[in-house]
Structure formats: C-alpha cells, structure tokens
C-alpha cells in the first residue's frame, strides 16, 4: 500500500465524510507560504492552514525554539509544578492583551480555551454564592468549537444536529447588521433585564466559520456596556480574531469596553503547535481566591502548558511584536482594502467585506448563502489547480494570508479571484 492508500484505510479526517471520492493531498513539506505536495506541486496557503499560521510554515526561529526546548524539558505535569516557558508566555501575553486581563489559564486548542472560559464564568457565579444567573447569551450563527460546551453556545445547524438533545440551553441573540442594530440592542436589554443572565459569549467583530460575517465595534461596545450594567460576564472568543488578524493584535483592541474573559488559540504558536489559553480579569479571579477546594476551578489537561508549545508561542510572540511583522499586518490590511473596492464592482459578487488581514467575497449565486452552497467545490478546485489553497465557506470565499505574504503573491491571489469571478455564470 502506498501512503495515500494507508491514509484512506487508517485515518478519519476532520470535517470530512468517511467515504470521499478524492484522496487527501499529500504534503511533504511546507516553507514560507507554500505547501509542497508529494507530487512536486507548490500551493499557496492562502487560508493559513485553518487560520493558525502567522509567519509562514516551518519558520526557522520557531522550529529552533521548539528543538531547543525539546532537548531541555519536553513536558512536565502542570499542577504543583511550573516552568519558564509558561511563565514567560503568560507575561508576554498579558503585556499585549487588554490591560484588564490579569491571569492566564492554559489548555490545548480553541475549543478547550472556550470550555475553560465558560467554566470560569459559570463557576464565578457559583463561587459568589449566586445561583440565579444561569442563563447564557450567544450570538446567532456562532462557532466556538466542537466540544460540548462550545457546541452548546454555537449555532444549532446541520453540523451538530446529532447532538442537539445533549446540548445545554442558550439564549440566541440575532446577528447584528446595520439594519437591525436597534432591535439587537433592545433584545439584548430585554434578555439581561430579567437579571438571570450570567454570561454573554461572542466572537468579537467577525464570525469566522459563519462566513466571515462582520459587525461593528460600536455595537459590540454597546452590548458589553449593557452587560456590565447588568452584571453579565463577557467572554470574547478571540480564537480566530487574535494575534493580528483584524489589523490590531486583538479584536478587543477595537473596543472601548473590554471583555472579562478572552479565549485564545490558533495563531498563538504561529501555527506550529496546538495550544489554548484563556485569560481573565481580576474581577473573575477574586471569586476563586480561596484555599477551600470548593472554590477551585477543577479543570486541566494532561498536556496543559506543554513547554514545547509555550516555547513556540514565545518565539512567535517575538516575531509578531516586531516592527517588521506589525508593518506587514498593516501592509496586507491596506492591500486588502484596495482589492475589497475592486472586487465589490464585479457583477457576480454580492458583498465583499474586510477587516485587517481578512477579506471575504460573498458570491452571488442562484442558491442562497450557506456553507452547503454547491459553488464551494468549484471554487476549491479552481484555485487548487492554480496553486492556491482557498477553503470557501459555501459561496463565501475568503483570503486569510500569513503575514509574510508579499504584495506580488497577494496580487496573484486576488487576480486569480477576479479571473474566477469572470468564469461564473449568473
Ligand atoms: C472563533 C472560534 N472559536 C473556537 C474555535 C475552535 O478551535 P479549535 O478548532 O482549535 O478547537 C474556532 C475554530 O475555528 C473558532 O473559529
């Protein structure tokens, strides 16, 4: 059996039907923004490998940090023990997170970072002896991950229909648009006025998986302020938006009112190692400050604060906060704004939206906008055949490049998008 035959036989891939017509693409190596296939093809990773990669693949500084760490301390239990890579990372993160954030809790990925955030918020009320604030508000269309808490606060759609009976109840708030802002604010006020809401969870400014849907910072600021007035804990899921994607280091940096809890993952290690982090403000930790067991947050994973992942994250932090990288984020954001205006003129485009380094093009098709829109397959194959990896969300194609992507590489991606749009029949 060759490798792909073994892959088919032994491996169950994520978000992929078990019976597929096509083999997976075998990647042998990756460098910079390019994935190199076993067949010798080069593919631009224009979606940063599920939104994780910041500085290009196999980055030598990150690779060296991991290798050196592996020779010194590969892992150690994180209860009762600690280590420099985790301490440095906590300090690094707190130096760039909103200033109200004061503690870092480690986990494994985006879903677990969200689970921890939810548990912190729920137990916050429990520890304060308040048992009436059990309701949770989440935004309609949200995606917070695939574990049970994360699914519960996420959109109830075909992806999790098999689990619906097992998910806890959540109040869903209509996704804010320019048209419904007043209504969303009124609905939110009504929901929180009953004083039984304990948590408000949201993807700040951009709902990634829902199709790169964007909403205004002013509106979110208003919702957080209403939440604050009504003693509702605000949990920002920055798993996708964190580490520069929105043009600022965090989407919360676009806001005046800062969340109480922030979930992070994806870009944290520059895309090299799995790691989740949940940060919170001292308002939250004060409810846990006790030596009694009953106030302890009983949550932890075997690989909590894995030193290799922390070392990778510290190396990525140095690159991310360098003038060079911040300039690149700015450069890409400006370039994207130019292409946003260009692409919006195309007759086959319903809407183009962008924020920072994220650009989404919603196609006008005879089928309505959804993840299952059949144009998805056509887009995927068209771009792959031209050496570009895009993984459209139905009829929404988006570009989310690593920050080292050059102007000419961006031009190539956007020109190809223009050419693709010309091939569409309306
Ligand atoms: C906003 C958001 N939260 C959570 C997650 C889940 O992260 P992970 O896939 O690392 O579990 C994702 C993944 O796409 C996400 O976009």
């Amino acid at each position: 059996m060759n490798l792909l035959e073994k892959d088919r036989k032994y491996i169950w891939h994520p978000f992929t039907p078990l019976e597929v017509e096509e083999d997976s693409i075998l990647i042998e190596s990756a460098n910079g923004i390019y994935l190199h296939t076993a067949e010798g093809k080069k593919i631009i990773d224009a979606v940063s490998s599920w939104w994780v990669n910041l500085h290009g693949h196999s980055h030598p500084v990150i690779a060296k940090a991991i290798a050196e760490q592996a020779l010194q301390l590969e892992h150690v239990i994180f209860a009762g023990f600690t280590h420099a890579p985790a301490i440095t990372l906590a300090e690094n993160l707190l130096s760039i997170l909103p200033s109200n954030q004061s503690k870092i809790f480690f986990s494994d990925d985006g879903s677990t970072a969200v689970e921890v955030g939810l548990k912190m918020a729920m137990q916050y009320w429990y520890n304060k002896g308040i048992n009436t604030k059990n309701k949770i508000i989440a935004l309609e269309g949200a995606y917070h991950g695939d574990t049970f808490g994360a699914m519960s606060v996420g959109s109830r759609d075909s992806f999790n229909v098999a689990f619906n009976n097992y998910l806890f109840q959540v109040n869903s708030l209509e996704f804010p648009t320019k048209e419904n802002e007043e209504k969303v604010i009124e609905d939110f006020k009504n929901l929180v006025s009953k004083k039984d809401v304990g948590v408000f969870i949201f993807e700040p400014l951009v709902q990634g998986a829902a199709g790169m849907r964007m909403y205004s910072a002013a509106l979110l600021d208003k919702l957080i302020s209403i939440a604050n007035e009504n003693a509702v804990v605000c949990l920002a899921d920055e798993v996708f938006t964190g580490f520069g994607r929105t043009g600022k280091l965090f989407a919360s940096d676009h806001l005046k009112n800062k969340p109480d809890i922030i979930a992070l993952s994806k870009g944290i290690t520059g895309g090299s190692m799995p790691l989740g982090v949940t940060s919170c403000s001292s308002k939250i930790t004060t409810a846990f400050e006790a030596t009694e067991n009953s106030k302890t947050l009983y949550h932890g994973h075997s690989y909590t604060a894995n030193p290799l992942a922390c070392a990778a994250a510290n190396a990525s932090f140095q690159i991310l906060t360098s003038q060079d990288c911040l300039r690149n984020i700015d450069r890409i954001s400006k370039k994207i704004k130019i292409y946003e205006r260009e692409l919006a003129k195309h007759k086959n485009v319903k809407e183009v939206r962008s924020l920072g380094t994220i650009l989404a093009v919603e196609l006008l098709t005879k089928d309505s906008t959804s993840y299952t829109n059949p144009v998805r397959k056509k887009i995927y194959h068209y771009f792959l055949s031209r050496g570009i990896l895009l993984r459209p969300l139905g009829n929404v194609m988006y570009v989310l490049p690593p920050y080292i992507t050059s102007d000419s590489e961006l031009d190539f991606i956007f020109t190809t998008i223009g050419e693709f749009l010309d091939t569409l029949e309306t």
Side-chain angles (χ1 to χ4, degrees):
M1 267 197 287
N2 67 26
L3 274 181
L4 283 176
E5 284 162 347
K6 288 185 188 171
D7 179 88
R8 232 174 218 280
K9 184 155 191 244
Y10 302 129
I11 296 183
W12 195 338
H13 284 270
F15 280 96
T16 310
L18 212 45
E19 304 278 322
V20 283
E21 290 149 25
E22 297 163 53
D23 281 327
S24 302
I25 298 169
L26 187 59
I27 296 299
E28 241 169 35
S29 66
N31 214 284
I33 67 162
Y34 293 96
L35 309 173
H36 298 276
T37 74
E39 290 177 337
K41 286 196 191 130
K42 257 169 85 172
I43 302 172
I44 294 180
D45 188 353
V47 294
S48 296
S49 277
W50 255 345
W51 320 343
V52 300
N53 193 288
L54 302 187
H55 317 297
H57 289 272
S58 310
H59 194 289
V61 174
I62 299 177
K64 184 163 175 275
I66 297 170
E68 284 176 359
Q69 188 57 47
L71 291 169
Q72 192 178 336
L73 171 69
E74 86 302 356
H75 188 64
V76 64
I77 177 174
F78 205 61
F81 290 79
T82 192
H83 49 79
I87 298 166
T88 306
L89 180 56
E91 196 176 14
N92 281 341
L93 291 174
L94 291 172
S95 74
I96 55 169
L97 278 163
S99 60
N100 69 336
Q101 300 297 293
S102 66
K103 270 267 197 271
I104 297 291
F105 192 103
F106 292 97
S107 60
D108 296 345
D109 49 48
S111 304
T112 53
V114 168
E115 294 289 336
V116 171
L118 287 170
K119 286 172 83 170
M120 272 181 185
M122 291 168 176
Q123 196 177 338
Y124 167 82
W125 292 114
Y126 175 87
N127 284 4
K128 284 169 79 78
I130 296 171
N131 60 11
T132 48
K133 289 178 81 74
N134 301 319
K135 298 235 162 88
I136 297 178
I137 300 179
L139 283 187
E140 173 250 312
Y143 179 72
H144 294 291
D146 292 333
T147 49
F148 272 82
M151 278 198 292
S152 296
V153 291
S155 158
R156 303 293 158 98
D157 53 31
S158 57
F159 285 0
N160 49 38
V161 65
F163 315 108
N164 263 345
N165 291 338
Y166 305 92
L167 304 180
F168 57 74
Q169 280 311 307
V170 168
N171 289 315
S172 174
L173 185 73
E174 217 173 296
F175 182 79
T177 60
K178 279 197 193 85
E179 291 73 40
N180 71 1
E181 280 200 356
E182 289 305 312
K183 179 171 186 301
V184 168
I185 292 170
E186 274 318 298
D187 287 353
F188 192 74
K189 277 187 185 158
N190 286 337
L191 283 170
V192 298
S193 68
K194 300 186 187 93
K195 305 287 176 204
D196 54 2
V197 176
V199 191
F200 170 40
I201 179 170
F202 49 88
E203 290 157 272
L205 309 189
V206 192
Q207 278 189 335
M212 300 294 159
R213 297 203 297 183
M214 300 177 186
Y215 63 105
S216 91
L219 180 103
L220 183 55
D221 253 326
K222 181 87 191 143
L223 296 181
I224 297 177
S225 135
I226 298 167
N228 288 342
E229 284 158 19
N230 290 275
V232 174
V233 172
C234 291
L235 196 178
D237 175 354
E238 292 234 30
V239 167
F240 165 54
T241 51
F243 303 102
R245 294 291 182 205
T246 67
K248 295 189 187 255
L249 284 177
F250 300 97
S252 300
D253 295 337
H254 295 267
L255 303 171
K256 288 192 203 77
N257 298 315
K258 306 299 178 189
D260 302 299
I261 302 175
I262 301 179
L264 299 166
S265 184
K266 291 202 185 271
I268 191 167
T269 61
S272 60
M273 298 280 294
L275 182 67
V277 149
T278 311
S279 69
C280 68
S281 67
S282 58
K283 171 177 131 187
I284 302 298
T285 51
T286 46
F288 291 80
E289 276 164 7
T291 48
E292 306 139 55
N293 287 343
S294 64
K295 295 216 165 155
T296 302
L297 177 62
Y298 283 107
H299 189 104
H301 301 278
S302 314
Y303 284 97
T304 295
N306 174 254
L308 304 180
C310 291
N314 285 322
S316 177
F317 173 88
Q318 295 304 337
I319 305 167
L320 177 71
T321 52
S322 69
Q323 281 311 312
D324 210 28
C325 183
L326 297 175
R327 263 197 301 272
N328 273 336
I329 292 175
D330 206 41
R331 173 182 57 80
I332 294 175
S333 304
K334 286 190 177 121
K335 189 100 181 152
I336 275 180
K337 275 278 165 240
I338 296 170
Y339 276 104
E340 178 181 16
R341 285 193 290 273
E342 275 302 303
L343 293 167
K345 293 180 201 151
H346 201 284
K347 66 176 186 345
N348 294 333
V349 167
K350 187 170 172 198
E351 189 183 70
V352 187
R353 32 189 189 265
S354 83
L355 184 66
T357 68
I358 311 163
L359 177 109
V361 183
E362 186 169 335
L363 302 183
L364 197 61
T365 61
K366 47 182 192 310
D367 302 281
S368 56
T369 292
S370 87
Y371 188 85
T372 52
N373 189 304
V375 75
R376 180 185 182 282
K377 265 196 176 163
K378 189 173 172 181
I379 302 171
Y380 184 68
H381 289 112
Y382 182 94
F383 285 88
L384 264 190
S385 70
R386 281 152 183 84
I388 302 170
L389 169 60
L390 293 190
R391 211 185 131 84
L393 300 153
N395 56 319
V396 178
M397 27 198 244
Y398 65 89
V399 178
L400 191 88
Y403 304 146
I404 54 155
T405 312
S406 70
D407 277 352
S408 59
E409 287 160 337
L410 288 172
D411 286 337
F412 173 61
I413 297 168
F414 292 123
T415 312
T416 313
I417 290 180
E419 286 164 6
F420 172 75
L421 291 173
D422 291 340
T423 70
L424 284 180
E425 287 158 21
T426 45

